[in-house]
Amino acid sequence: MMPSTRRDDRPDADVIIVGAGITGLVLAGLLQQSNFRIALVEARPETDRDKPDEIDPRALAITPASAQVLKRIGAWPQLAQDRVGHFRHMQVWDENGQGEIQFDAAVLGRQTLGYIIESTRLREALLKALTGCEDIRWYQPGQVQGLDAATQRAVVKLGDGRRISASLVVAADGRNSHIRSLAGLAYSEHDYEQQALACIVRTEQPHADTARQRFLRGGTLAFLPLADPHCCGIVWSTRPEEVQALMQLDEAGFREAVARAFEYRLGSLTGSEKRVCYPLAYGAAEAYIADRLALIGDAAHVVHPLAGQGANLGILDAAALSEVLATAAGRQRDPGERPVLRRYERWRKGDNRLMMHVMTGFKELFTRQDFPLPLLRNLGLDITDRLPPLKHYLMEHAMGIRGDIPRAARIPV
């Protein structure tokens, strides 16, 4: 039971979550387990939900830590396991040299380094897990028009005149967050001068549960193994003009261009699905909190897809915030108070910024061709490959099993 107001003057909810993407849904699932009353505001109408039978060209890399959170809220069993890819191995190499590094889950005594899941499949699983939750009230479609943060509560105003009050508002409404703008929180963005092309392809040779990434002159090309041994989700990050040229190729030309750029490591491509592209940028909110407000996921940070960590950072944000709020409620504290929210900001902001800077550094390191950078990065790949302790450390961080991990994301030993 939340302690924020008198019983005859209770707010409409304990927490308002604006945005029902993956991060917002994960937070709702975690909070309802701690008996929070949740108002979930989603701009898209219910009839506009992603269709589960369609193949989504965006394949997400999900860490074991994120998978643990999904299991905790009952979303993992809702996933069709024949659509969940496992990668037990990983290979990374550079176009300009012979440097290569390989990772293997077995050396850590683990069965997998992570999972590959189509974005729409994951969102549908989350929606199914939350269906029937009495503590979640949907406002869909709900267009937010205003935000007021009073001393005792926050009020969100919707375009149709409805007003929702709560102890806390959480912005989970993406990189162009309207809630962040209404709160006046500064946001810095840096254009990477790259776009990413995403597509699902069929390969001549089986992927052998191996995630592969090749650093190219203009960017990176990743093959992410899906459940079908001959299907991979690809993400090709490169110069905008190159992406647009790839988007305009016919299917045969596109398949040949991708296979050639990938050195035919999986042979020729025998098929390809719908292609989508999107711009890449670094984005960071100056603060993660304001009066009775917290930012999570892309509303707080946007990272280069180089290591596939975007969705995982958002899921860890949700897990950390839910833990902070549940702890505060257990101590009869108002979850919207600044001291409570500062704990969440301190916990996640540093880790997220570090990951963002590392990804930006890798992007610059592997796309620049000035001598002697190609020589040094190939040497670095080879040296890292021959240092098991360093490889183990990198693998554990990438899997989300090292560091200050929220309880909901901790993997049982």
Side-chain angles (χ1 to χ4, degrees), residues 160-174:
D160 59 7
R162 287 179 293 177
R163 298 165 64 91
I164 317 167
S165 60
S167 296
L168 174 68
V169 177
V170 178
D173 51 345

Side-chain angles (χ1 to χ4, degrees), residues 48-193:
D48 196 35
R49 285 182 181 173
D50 298 323
K51 294 177 178 149
D53 292 332
E54 289 185 356
I55 293 177
D56 190 330
R58 296 164 299 163
L60 301 176
I62 298 298
T63 65
S66 292
Q68 186 64 26
V69 175
L70 297 173
K71 292 172 185 175
R72 172 78 176 265
I73 60 179
W76 194 260
Q78 301 295 339
L79 285 164
Q81 293 303 305
D82 62 352
R83 300 300 291 263
V84 177
H86 299 243
F87 62 100
R88 309 175 200 283
H89 318 280
M90 187 171 182
Q91 297 176 356
V92 179
W93 73 102
D94 189 7
E95 176 185 22
N96 297 308
Q98 302 299 314
E100 184 167 332
I101 185 169
Q102 301 194 40
F103 300 97
D104 187 344
V107 301
L108 293 178
R110 304 278 179 174
Q111 293 186 341
T112 185
L113 292 171
Y115 308 89
I116 307 298
I117 307 172
E118 297 151 55
S119 177
T120 34
R121 299 279 173 179
L122 180 52
R123 186 167 183 271
E124 282 295 323
L126 286 162
L127 288 169
K128 289 178 182 177
L130 299 185
T131 297
C133 290
E134 295 181 357
D135 288 329
I136 300 177
R137 183 177 179 184
W138 283 80
Y139 293 79
Q140 186 179 20
Q143 298 284 348
V144 176
Q145 296 295 325
L147 171 67
D148 290 330
T151 303
Q152 295 299 319
R153 66 182 60 176
V155 177
V156 167
K157 300 180 217 177
L158 302 183
D160 59 7
R162 287 179 293 177
R163 298 165 64 91
I164 317 167
S165 60
S167 296
L168 174 68
V169 177
V170 178
D173 51 345
R175 64 189 296 175
N176 298 314
S177 172
H178 185 47
I179 292 293
R180 185 185 65 221
S181 297
L182 289 173
L185 291 176
Y187 181 79
S188 61
E189 190 166 87
H190 168 70
D191 187 352
Y192 280 129
E193 299 181 345

Side-chain angles (χ1 to χ4, degrees), residues 226-245:
L226 294 170
D228 185 320
H230 287 273
C231 279
C232 290
I234 70 163
V235 181
W236 192 341
S237 305
T238 187
R239 297 180 296 272
E241 60 272 19
E242 187 171 357
V243 168
Q244 293 309 309

Side-chain angles (χ1 to χ4, degrees), residues 315-335:
I315 290 172
L316 288 180
D317 287 349
L321 181 58
S322 68
E323 184 174 326
V324 167
L325 298 182
T327 299
R331 295 173 179 170
Q332 300 297 298
R333 295 186 63 182
D334 181 344

Side-chain angles (χ1 to χ4, degrees), residues 189-194 215 220 280-284 302-307 352-368:
E189 190 166 87
H190 168 70
D191 187 352
Y192 280 129
E193 299 181 345
Q194 285 187 334
F215 290 103
T220 59
L280 298 180
Y282 166 103
V302 176
V303 65
H304 196 284
L306 188 64
N352 288 336
R353 287 287 176 92
L354 176 61
M355 177 63 72
M356 294 163 73
H357 290 314
V358 167
M359 291 304 99
T360 299
F362 270 114
K363 181 263 179 187
E364 293 298 326
L365 175 63
F366 282 93
T367 55
R368 292 180 57 184

